[in-house]
mmCIF file of all heavy atoms in Angstrom:
data_model
loop_
_atom_site.group_PDB
_atom_site.id
_atom_site.type_symbol
_atom_site.label_atom_id
_atom_site.label_comp_id
_atom_site.label_asym_id
_atom_site.label_seq_id
_atom_site.Cartn_x
_atom_site.Cartn_y
_atom_site.Cartn_z
ATOM 1 N N ILE A 293 10.012 40.800 -18.319
ATOM 2 C CA ILE A 293 11.226 41.057 -19.183
ATOM 3 C C ILE A 293 12.036 39.929 -19.122
ATOM 4 O O ILE A 293 12.416 39.561 -17.997
ATOM 5 C CB ILE A 293 11.891 42.478 -18.807
ATOM 6 C CG1 ILE A 293 10.888 43.509 -18.749
ATOM 7 C CG2 ILE A 293 13.127 42.727 -19.601
ATOM 8 C CD1 ILE A 293 11.379 44.981 -18.110
ATOM 9 N N PRO A 294 12.369 39.222 -20.291
ATOM 10 C CA PRO A 294 13.295 38.119 -20.186
ATOM 11 C C PRO A 294 14.577 38.462 -19.557
ATOM 12 O O PRO A 294 15.175 39.467 -19.933
ATOM 13 C CB PRO A 294 13.430 37.712 -21.642
ATOM 14 C CG PRO A 294 12.522 38.428 -22.515
ATOM 15 C CD PRO A 294 12.038 39.592 -21.584
ATOM 16 N N ASN A 295 15.016 37.611 -18.565
ATOM 17 C CA ASN A 295 16.226 37.886 -17.955
ATOM 18 C C ASN A 295 17.353 36.949 -18.694
ATOM 19 O O ASN A 295 17.201 35.784 -18.558
ATOM 20 C CB ASN A 295 16.252 37.520 -16.422
ATOM 21 C CG ASN A 295 15.384 38.441 -15.798
ATOM 22 O OD1 ASN A 295 15.377 39.568 -15.951
ATOM 23 N ND2 ASN A 295 14.652 38.028 -14.599
ATOM 24 N N PRO A 296 18.284 37.571 -19.230
ATOM 25 C CA PRO A 296 19.329 36.704 -19.850
ATOM 26 C C PRO A 296 20.086 36.005 -18.688
ATOM 27 O O PRO A 296 20.245 36.523 -17.541
ATOM 28 C CB PRO A 296 20.359 37.748 -20.514
ATOM 29 C CG PRO A 296 20.035 38.940 -19.865
ATOM 30 C CD PRO A 296 18.714 38.996 -19.370
ATOM 31 N N GLY A 297 20.492 34.841 -18.972
ATOM 32 C CA GLY A 297 21.267 34.132 -17.938
ATOM 33 C C GLY A 297 21.924 32.846 -18.599
ATOM 34 O O GLY A 297 21.419 32.415 -19.720
ATOM 35 N N ARG A 298 22.666 32.128 -17.811
ATOM 36 C CA ARG A 298 23.276 30.939 -18.249
ATOM 37 C C ARG A 298 22.160 29.891 -18.395
ATOM 38 O O ARG A 298 21.284 29.859 -17.481
ATOM 39 C CB ARG A 298 24.329 30.652 -17.164
ATOM 40 C CG ARG A 298 25.044 29.440 -17.493
ATOM 41 C CD ARG A 298 25.945 29.040 -16.286
ATOM 42 N NE ARG A 298 27.195 28.501 -16.918
ATOM 43 C CZ ARG A 298 28.142 28.451 -16.078
ATOM 44 N NH1 ARG A 298 28.301 28.779 -14.906
ATOM 45 N NH2 ARG A 298 29.452 27.936 -16.600
ATOM 46 N N ASN A 299 22.255 29.053 -19.419
ATOM 47 C CA ASN A 299 21.344 27.992 -19.476
ATOM 48 C C ASN A 299 21.705 26.995 -18.514
ATOM 49 O O ASN A 299 22.952 26.721 -18.176
ATOM 50 C CB ASN A 299 21.366 27.376 -20.893
ATOM 51 C CG ASN A 299 20.786 28.333 -21.846
ATOM 52 O OD1 ASN A 299 19.930 29.114 -21.527
ATOM 53 N ND2 ASN A 299 21.120 28.219 -23.076
ATOM 54 N N ALA A 300 20.745 26.140 -18.044
ATOM 55 C CA ALA A 300 21.002 25.106 -17.048
ATOM 56 C C ALA A 300 21.853 24.073 -17.785
ATOM 57 O O ALA A 300 21.726 23.671 -18.920
ATOM 58 C CB ALA A 300 19.673 24.491 -16.603
ATOM 59 N N ARG A 301 22.813 23.455 -17.039
ATOM 60 C CA ARG A 301 23.717 22.429 -17.533
ATOM 61 C C ARG A 301 23.222 21.061 -17.034
ATOM 62 O O ARG A 301 24.121 20.142 -16.888
ATOM 63 C CB ARG A 301 25.166 22.772 -17.392
ATOM 64 C CG ARG A 301 25.468 23.856 -18.095
ATOM 65 C CD ARG A 301 27.131 24.069 -18.143
ATOM 66 N NE ARG A 301 27.493 24.696 -16.848
ATOM 67 C CZ ARG A 301 28.692 24.825 -16.466
ATOM 68 N NH1 ARG A 301 29.737 24.395 -17.122
ATOM 69 N NH2 ARG A 301 28.995 25.253 -15.337
ATOM 70 N N MET A 302 22.080 20.993 -16.508
ATOM 71 C CA MET A 302 21.542 19.713 -15.989
ATOM 72 C C MET A 302 20.949 18.956 -17.051
ATOM 73 O O MET A 302 20.206 19.348 -17.984
ATOM 74 C CB MET A 302 20.564 20.103 -14.925
ATOM 75 C CG MET A 302 20.863 20.894 -13.784
ATOM 76 S SD MET A 302 21.852 19.927 -12.512
ATOM 77 C CE MET A 302 20.450 19.034 -11.816
ATOM 78 N N GLU A 303 21.093 17.716 -16.948
ATOM 79 C CA GLU A 303 20.567 16.688 -17.910
ATOM 80 C C GLU A 303 19.158 16.531 -17.533
ATOM 81 O O GLU A 303 18.650 16.610 -16.311
ATOM 82 C CB GLU A 303 21.283 15.341 -17.936
ATOM 83 C CG GLU A 303 22.727 15.380 -18.204
ATOM 84 C CD GLU A 303 23.521 14.177 -18.055
ATOM 85 O OE1 GLU A 303 22.823 13.147 -17.764
ATOM 86 O OE2 GLU A 303 24.703 14.141 -18.161
ATOM 87 N N GLU A 304 18.314 16.102 -18.529
ATOM 88 C CA GLU A 304 16.916 15.834 -18.213
ATOM 89 C C GLU A 304 16.688 14.917 -17.067
ATOM 90 O O GLU A 304 15.727 14.927 -16.263
ATOM 91 C CB GLU A 304 16.196 15.421 -19.504
ATOM 92 C CG GLU A 304 16.025 16.537 -20.494
ATOM 93 C CD GLU A 304 15.098 17.769 -20.084
ATOM 94 O OE1 GLU A 304 14.120 17.524 -19.370
ATOM 95 O OE2 GLU A 304 15.444 18.753 -20.277
ATOM 96 N N LYS A 305 17.533 13.876 -17.116
ATOM 97 C CA LYS A 305 17.445 12.783 -16.165
ATOM 98 C C LYS A 305 17.755 13.298 -14.748
ATOM 99 O O LYS A 305 16.903 13.073 -13.759
ATOM 100 C CB LYS A 305 18.489 11.711 -16.383
ATOM 101 C CG LYS A 305 18.309 10.456 -15.645
ATOM 102 C CD LYS A 305 19.376 9.447 -16.025
ATOM 103 C CE LYS A 305 19.070 8.091 -15.364
ATOM 104 N NZ LYS A 305 19.976 7.150 -15.780
ATOM 105 N N GLN A 306 18.742 14.200 -14.652
ATOM 106 C CA GLN A 306 18.947 14.853 -13.392
ATOM 107 C C GLN A 306 17.847 15.770 -12.875
ATOM 108 O O GLN A 306 17.385 15.840 -11.608
ATOM 109 C CB GLN A 306 20.203 15.684 -13.319
ATOM 110 C CG GLN A 306 21.458 14.749 -13.521
ATOM 111 C CD GLN A 306 22.725 15.629 -13.774
ATOM 112 O OE1 GLN A 306 22.738 16.596 -14.526
ATOM 113 N NE2 GLN A 306 23.831 15.085 -12.990
ATOM 114 N N LEU A 307 17.247 16.453 -13.730
ATOM 115 C CA LEU A 307 16.082 17.404 -13.508
ATOM 116 C C LEU A 307 14.913 16.535 -12.943
ATOM 117 O O LEU A 307 14.166 16.873 -11.987
ATOM 118 C CB LEU A 307 15.732 18.215 -14.623
ATOM 119 C CG LEU A 307 16.695 19.294 -15.065
ATOM 120 C CD1 LEU A 307 16.239 19.942 -16.316
ATOM 121 C CD2 LEU A 307 16.812 20.276 -13.894
ATOM 122 N N ALA A 308 14.783 15.423 -13.558
ATOM 123 C CA ALA A 308 13.628 14.480 -13.249
ATOM 124 C C ALA A 308 13.800 13.939 -11.812
ATOM 125 O O ALA A 308 12.889 13.795 -11.044
ATOM 126 C CB ALA A 308 13.512 13.374 -14.295
ATOM 127 N N VAL A 309 15.076 13.630 -11.410
ATOM 128 C CA VAL A 309 15.364 13.135 -10.149
ATOM 129 C C VAL A 309 15.098 14.165 -9.057
ATOM 130 O O VAL A 309 14.560 13.977 -8.044
ATOM 131 C CB VAL A 309 16.891 12.700 -10.024
ATOM 132 C CG1 VAL A 309 17.387 12.635 -8.619
ATOM 133 C CG2 VAL A 309 17.067 11.439 -10.849
ATOM 134 N N ILE A 310 15.465 15.519 -9.446
ATOM 135 C CA ILE A 310 15.248 16.666 -8.435
ATOM 136 C C ILE A 310 13.733 16.768 -8.336
ATOM 137 O O ILE A 310 13.273 16.904 -7.163
ATOM 138 C CB ILE A 310 16.013 17.830 -8.861
ATOM 139 C CG1 ILE A 310 17.377 17.642 -8.843
ATOM 140 C CG2 ILE A 310 15.605 19.089 -8.046
ATOM 141 C CD1 ILE A 310 18.278 18.823 -9.480
ATOM 142 N N SER A 311 13.044 16.788 -9.425
ATOM 143 C CA SER A 311 11.563 17.009 -9.327
ATOM 144 C C SER A 311 10.847 15.785 -8.595
ATOM 145 O O SER A 311 10.029 16.164 -7.727
ATOM 146 C CB SER A 311 10.947 17.035 -10.859
ATOM 147 O OG SER A 311 9.641 17.115 -10.714
ATOM 148 N N LYS A 312 11.278 14.678 -8.801
ATOM 149 C CA LYS A 312 10.711 13.511 -8.144
ATOM 150 C C LYS A 312 11.063 13.579 -6.560
ATOM 151 O O LYS A 312 10.179 13.248 -5.720
ATOM 152 C CB LYS A 312 11.264 12.235 -8.771
ATOM 153 C CG LYS A 312 10.860 11.011 -8.094
ATOM 154 C CD LYS A 312 11.362 9.761 -8.869
ATOM 155 C CE LYS A 312 11.550 8.619 -7.860
ATOM 156 N NZ LYS A 312 12.261 7.480 -8.489
ATOM 157 N N THR A 313 12.218 14.011 -6.289
ATOM 158 C CA THR A 313 12.708 14.066 -4.944
ATOM 159 C C THR A 313 11.794 15.147 -4.244
ATOM 160 O O THR A 313 11.411 14.857 -3.040
ATOM 161 C CB THR A 313 14.184 14.426 -4.820
ATOM 162 O OG1 THR A 313 14.885 13.455 -5.490
ATOM 163 C CG2 THR A 313 14.612 14.576 -3.344
ATOM 164 N N LEU A 314 11.705 16.383 -4.756
ATOM 165 C CA LEU A 314 10.878 17.436 -4.068
ATOM 166 C C LEU A 314 9.431 17.069 -4.071
ATOM 167 O O LEU A 314 8.777 17.789 -3.287
ATOM 168 C CB LEU A 314 11.211 18.759 -4.874
ATOM 169 C CG LEU A 314 12.587 19.222 -4.782
ATOM 170 C CD1 LEU A 314 12.810 20.462 -5.652
ATOM 171 C CD2 LEU A 314 12.940 19.532 -3.282
ATOM 172 N N ALA A 315 8.998 16.179 -4.841
ATOM 173 C CA ALA A 315 7.556 15.904 -4.889
ATOM 174 C C ALA A 315 7.158 15.087 -3.679
ATOM 175 O O ALA A 315 5.954 15.089 -3.289
ATOM 176 C CB ALA A 315 7.160 15.058 -6.152
ATOM 177 N N ARG A 316 8.049 14.505 -2.876
ATOM 178 C CA ARG A 316 7.701 13.785 -1.797
ATOM 179 C C ARG A 316 8.398 14.436 -0.539
ATOM 180 O O ARG A 316 9.289 15.332 -0.695
ATOM 181 C CB ARG A 316 8.080 12.249 -1.839
ATOM 182 C CG ARG A 316 9.567 12.217 -2.188
ATOM 183 C CD ARG A 316 9.848 10.728 -2.434
ATOM 184 N NE ARG A 316 11.293 10.660 -2.899
ATOM 185 C CZ ARG A 316 12.071 9.536 -2.881
ATOM 186 N NH1 ARG A 316 11.462 8.457 -2.353
ATOM 187 N NH2 ARG A 316 13.284 9.607 -3.249
ATOM 188 N N SER A 317 8.022 14.148 0.663
ATOM 189 C CA SER A 317 8.457 14.860 1.847
ATOM 190 C C SER A 317 9.803 14.136 2.131
ATOM 191 O O SER A 317 10.222 12.978 1.770
ATOM 192 C CB SER A 317 7.597 14.521 3.072
ATOM 193 O OG SER A 317 7.659 13.196 3.404
ATOM 194 N N PRO A 318 10.740 14.910 2.855
ATOM 195 C CA PRO A 318 12.138 14.410 3.168
ATOM 196 C C PRO A 318 11.929 13.095 4.025
ATOM 197 O O PRO A 318 12.780 12.169 3.909
ATOM 198 C CB PRO A 318 12.655 15.523 4.036
ATOM 199 C CG PRO A 318 12.065 16.781 3.531
ATOM 200 C CD PRO A 318 10.675 16.389 3.222
ATOM 201 N N ALA A 319 10.897 12.961 4.829
ATOM 202 C CA ALA A 319 10.766 11.932 5.598
ATOM 203 C C ALA A 319 10.423 10.616 4.849
ATOM 204 O O ALA A 319 11.091 9.557 5.148
ATOM 205 C CB ALA A 319 9.563 11.997 6.555
ATOM 206 N N LYS A 320 9.683 10.707 3.767
ATOM 207 C CA LYS A 320 9.612 9.592 2.846
ATOM 208 C C LYS A 320 10.796 9.197 2.042
ATOM 209 O O LYS A 320 10.825 8.181 1.529
ATOM 210 C CB LYS A 320 8.362 9.997 1.862
ATOM 211 C CG LYS A 320 7.002 9.970 2.501
ATOM 212 C CD LYS A 320 5.909 10.185 1.483
ATOM 213 C CE LYS A 320 4.661 10.124 2.156
ATOM 214 N NZ LYS A 320 3.464 10.415 1.343
ATOM 215 N N ALA A 321 11.720 10.222 1.932
ATOM 216 C CA ALA A 321 13.005 9.949 1.271
ATOM 217 C C ALA A 321 13.856 9.384 2.240
ATOM 218 O O ALA A 321 15.188 9.350 1.989
ATOM 219 C CB ALA A 321 13.491 11.231 0.621
ATOM 220 N N GLY A 322 13.590 9.228 3.450
ATOM 221 C CA GLY A 322 14.393 8.645 4.493
ATOM 222 C C GLY A 322 15.216 9.651 5.342
ATOM 223 O O GLY A 322 16.272 9.317 5.977
ATOM 224 N N MET A 323 14.887 10.916 5.263
ATOM 225 C CA MET A 323 15.612 11.952 5.854
ATOM 226 C C MET A 323 14.771 12.281 7.217
ATOM 227 O O MET A 323 13.564 11.950 7.388
ATOM 228 C CB MET A 323 15.756 13.231 5.104
ATOM 229 C CG MET A 323 16.357 13.030 3.723
ATOM 230 S SD MET A 323 17.937 12.243 3.862
ATOM 231 C CE MET A 323 19.003 13.736 4.210
ATOM 232 N N LYS A 324 15.413 12.913 8.193
ATOM 233 C CA LYS A 324 14.781 13.126 9.576
ATOM 234 C C LYS A 324 14.018 14.289 9.550
ATOM 235 O O LYS A 324 13.117 14.656 10.280
ATOM 236 C CB LYS A 324 15.915 13.320 10.644
ATOM 237 C CG LYS A 324 16.669 11.910 10.930
ATOM 238 C CD LYS A 324 17.660 12.062 11.905
ATOM 239 C CE LYS A 324 18.368 10.841 12.073
ATOM 240 N NZ LYS A 324 19.580 10.958 13.040
ATOM 241 N N GLU A 325 14.287 15.383 8.690
ATOM 242 C CA GLU A 325 13.636 16.652 8.622
ATOM 243 C C GLU A 325 12.293 16.563 7.980
ATOM 244 O O GLU A 325 11.928 15.628 7.179
ATOM 245 C CB GLU A 325 14.477 17.741 7.939
ATOM 246 C CG GLU A 325 15.679 18.229 8.629
ATOM 247 C CD GLU A 325 16.812 17.255 8.544
ATOM 248 O OE1 GLU A 325 16.738 16.186 7.806
ATOM 249 O OE2 GLU A 325 17.875 17.505 9.205
ATOM 250 N N ASP A 326 11.315 17.627 8.204
ATOM 251 C CA ASP A 326 9.995 17.533 7.734
ATOM 252 C C ASP A 326 9.882 18.384 6.461
ATOM 253 O O ASP A 326 8.934 18.224 5.714
ATOM 254 C CB ASP A 326 8.984 18.254 8.745
ATOM 255 C CG ASP A 326 8.959 17.335 10.013
ATOM 256 O OD1 ASP A 326 9.110 16.133 9.849
ATOM 257 O OD2 ASP A 326 8.691 17.788 11.036
ATOM 258 N N LYS A 327 10.782 19.271 6.145
ATOM 259 C CA LYS A 327 10.740 20.183 5.066
ATOM 260 C C LYS A 327 12.135 20.239 4.345
ATOM 261 O O LYS A 327 13.108 20.225 4.915
ATOM 262 C CB LYS A 327 10.332 21.513 5.528
ATOM 263 C CG LYS A 327 10.143 22.519 4.429
ATOM 264 C CD LYS A 327 9.769 23.896 5.025
ATOM 265 C CE LYS A 327 9.406 24.836 3.879
ATOM 266 N NZ LYS A 327 9.036 26.082 4.276
ATOM 267 N N TRP A 328 11.977 20.258 2.946
ATOM 268 C CA TRP A 328 13.328 20.325 2.272
ATOM 269 C C TRP A 328 13.884 21.762 2.328
ATOM 270 O O TRP A 328 13.254 22.829 2.408
ATOM 271 C CB TRP A 328 12.939 20.224 0.641
ATOM 272 C CG TRP A 328 12.632 18.789 0.338
ATOM 273 C CD1 TRP A 328 11.498 18.252 -0.095
ATOM 274 C CD2 TRP A 328 13.514 17.717 0.365
ATOM 275 N NE1 TRP A 328 11.627 16.948 -0.384
ATOM 276 C CE2 TRP A 328 12.893 16.501 -0.112
ATOM 277 C CE3 TRP A 328 14.983 17.392 0.701
ATOM 278 C CZ2 TRP A 328 13.518 15.243 -0.188
ATOM 279 C CZ3 TRP A 328 15.526 16.269 0.554
ATOM 280 C CH2 TRP A 328 14.788 15.213 0.261
ATOM 281 N N THR A 329 15.232 21.782 2.524
ATOM 282 C CA THR A 329 15.961 23.028 2.553
ATOM 283 C C THR A 329 17.073 22.808 1.510
ATOM 284 O O THR A 329 17.287 21.754 0.960
ATOM 285 C CB THR A 329 16.598 23.186 3.872
ATOM 286 O OG1 THR A 329 17.563 22.246 4.185
ATOM 287 C CG2 THR A 329 15.608 23.320 5.038
ATOM 288 N N GLY A 330 17.673 23.876 1.134
ATOM 289 C CA GLY A 330 18.859 23.744 0.133
ATOM 290 C C GLY A 330 19.810 22.868 0.601
ATOM 291 O O GLY A 330 20.369 21.991 -0.165
ATOM 292 N N ARG A 331 20.307 22.987 1.915
ATOM 293 C CA ARG A 331 21.284 22.166 2.405
ATOM 294 C C ARG A 331 20.984 20.668 2.412
ATOM 295 O O ARG A 331 21.600 19.779 1.999
ATOM 296 C CB ARG A 331 21.644 22.522 3.790
ATOM 297 C CG ARG A 331 22.510 21.570 4.656
ATOM 298 C CD ARG A 331 23.959 21.414 4.281
ATOM 299 N NE ARG A 331 24.654 22.622 4.197
ATOM 300 C CZ ARG A 331 25.726 22.854 3.357
ATOM 301 N NH1 ARG A 331 26.147 21.936 2.527
ATOM 302 N NH2 ARG A 331 26.279 24.065 3.391
ATOM 303 N N LEU A 332 19.665 20.453 2.891
ATOM 304 C CA LEU A 332 19.195 19.082 2.927
ATOM 305 C C LEU A 332 19.040 18.500 1.526
ATOM 306 O O LEU A 332 19.586 17.235 1.286
ATOM 307 C CB LEU A 332 17.759 19.005 3.485
ATOM 308 C CG LEU A 332 17.193 17.596 3.801
ATOM 309 C CD1 LEU A 332 18.025 16.823 4.751
ATOM 310 C CD2 LEU A 332 15.787 17.777 4.378
ATOM 311 N N LEU A 333 18.532 19.136 0.514
ATOM 312 C CA LEU A 333 18.516 18.585 -0.800
ATOM 313 C C LEU A 333 19.959 18.364 -1.393
ATOM 314 O O LEU A 333 20.094 17.324 -2.035
ATOM 315 C CB LEU A 333 17.674 19.610 -1.636
ATOM 316 C CG LEU A 333 17.548 19.154 -3.161
ATOM 317 C CD1 LEU A 333 16.639 17.887 -3.186
ATOM 318 C CD2 LEU A 333 16.740 20.308 -3.935
#
């Protein structure tokens, strides 16, 4: 059942950055942790 909700106000470029970031490990992004968390991201 479609859930009504607010549309994302993110630009395509920002979404691409998030997707690209999550596609690699935090270690490869220069972070000390092994797994992405909300706080870390």
